[in-house]
Amino acid sequence: MTPLMSARGLIKTYGATVALDSVDLDIQAGEILAVMGPSGSGKSTLMHCLAGVVRADSGQVRYGETELTTASDARLSALRRREFGFVFQFGRLVPELLCLENVALPLRMEGVRRREAERRAAGWLERLDVADCAGKRPGQISGGQGQRVAIARALVTEPRIVFADEPTGALDSLNGELVMRLLTRCAAEAGMAVVLVTHEPAVAAYSHREVVVRDGRIRTGTGVSR
Ligand SMILES: Nc1ncnc2c1ncn2[C@@H]1O[C@H](COP(=O)(O)OP(=O)(O)O)[C@@H](O)[C@H]1O
Ligand SMILES: [Mg+2]
């Protein structure tokens, strides 16, 4: 099966720091891939290179017909808006907007009319079990609710790949489990792949496959947490 995304020989340095040291990685359509490893090992850098947020110094990232390492900025931002979704450790919701407006925002940026965008946003809030947050601002809801709203925002454009960088890192284990259950269920129902960066084995347990990054290099795991 042709992978959805394929990275080969990725190298990224920051001054004397080698953040990625020749990484090869394939992402299959619809899979949930956990990227594990200690702090500073290169997990976020890898995710940013895969998502076209950061350009690698050398190597390739192929996504369909597009080679991300040489694609134009316009092509990369179109991919980030339409094909990729992002979830961060802290929701990064826009504090001035209602949660419904936050989730509708990626659609509005694509030119979807307000009524239609908010209708679809409301559907995703419902699926993530935070429909009651729709009319509140991010400052008025809990961290776990905020993270579910952030996931709704990442999924609302129905991306092919969701990049989630320690999405439960700021949550207690109960909320973390809930977020992971909803994220993986929604992604599976919609056929989205998820690249899940985490250093928590309990979170990686929601993945189909696991790779471990250490000193900017990848060691392919078996799917069993160590
Ligand atoms: N923007 C940056 N500028 C300088 N050094 C960076 C930058 N981003 C990451 N690094 C360095 O690259 C290495 C890998 O970082 P990172 O990918 O954030 O690791 P992880 O996500 O696994 O904690 C670290 O040594 C980090 O300090
Ligand atoms: Mg990181």
Side-chain angles (χ1 to χ4, degrees), residues 69-201:
T69 48
T70 53
S72 67
D73 288 341
R75 174 72 184 139
L76 288 180
S77 59
L79 282 176
R80 289 196 302 264
R81 279 199 316 272
R82 292 177 199 147
E83 313 262 326
F84 303 157
F86 296 90
V87 184
F88 306 96
Q89 180 169 353
F90 300 99
R92 299 199 197 171
L93 299 168
V94 182
E96 295 82 5
L97 296 181
L98 301 177
C99 289
L100 182 69
E101 294 168 335
N102 265 282
V103 177
L105 195 57
L107 295 173
R108 298 285 289 145
M109 282 161 51
E110 283 295 285
V112 178
R113 285 168 177 278
R114 175 182 293 272
R115 185 184 293 254
E116 170 64 12
E118 293 191 349
R119 189 187 66 77
R120 282 156 66 180
W124 282 100
L125 285 172
E126 190 134 327
R127 273 186 249 191
L128 284 146
D129 214 10
V130 278
D132 51 336
C133 296
K136 296 181 179 168
R137 290 181 210 285
Q140 300 172 300
I141 62 176
S142 74
Q145 288 172 324
Q147 215 44 342
R148 284 185 272 155
V149 173
I151 291 169
R153 183 185 54 182
L155 303 190
V156 74
T157 56
E158 306 198 15
R160 301 293 309 280
I161 309 182
V162 179
F163 293 97
D165 197 350
E166 312 219 14
T168 65
L171 303 178
D172 61 51
S173 61
L174 209 64
N175 271 300
E177 295 251 328
L178 181 58
V179 159
M180 284 312 303
R181 236 184 0 256
L182 289 165
L183 171 59
T184 51
R185 192 180 74 200
C186 288
E189 283 170 4
M192 301 169 190
V194 180
V195 178
L196 172 65
V197 170
T198 183
H199 56 252
E200 300 170 75

Side-chain angles (χ1 to χ4, degrees), residues 39-70:
S39 179
S41 58
K43 304 182 297 297
S44 293
T45 304
L46 173 59
M47 211 191 67
H48 294 151
C49 288
L50 295 177
V53 175
V54 163
R55 280 184 204 266
D57 300 337
S58 63
Q60 288 89 44
V61 180
R62 194 196 49 71
Y63 174 75
E65 299 297 300
T66 306
E67 173 47 54
L68 267 57
T69 48
T70 53

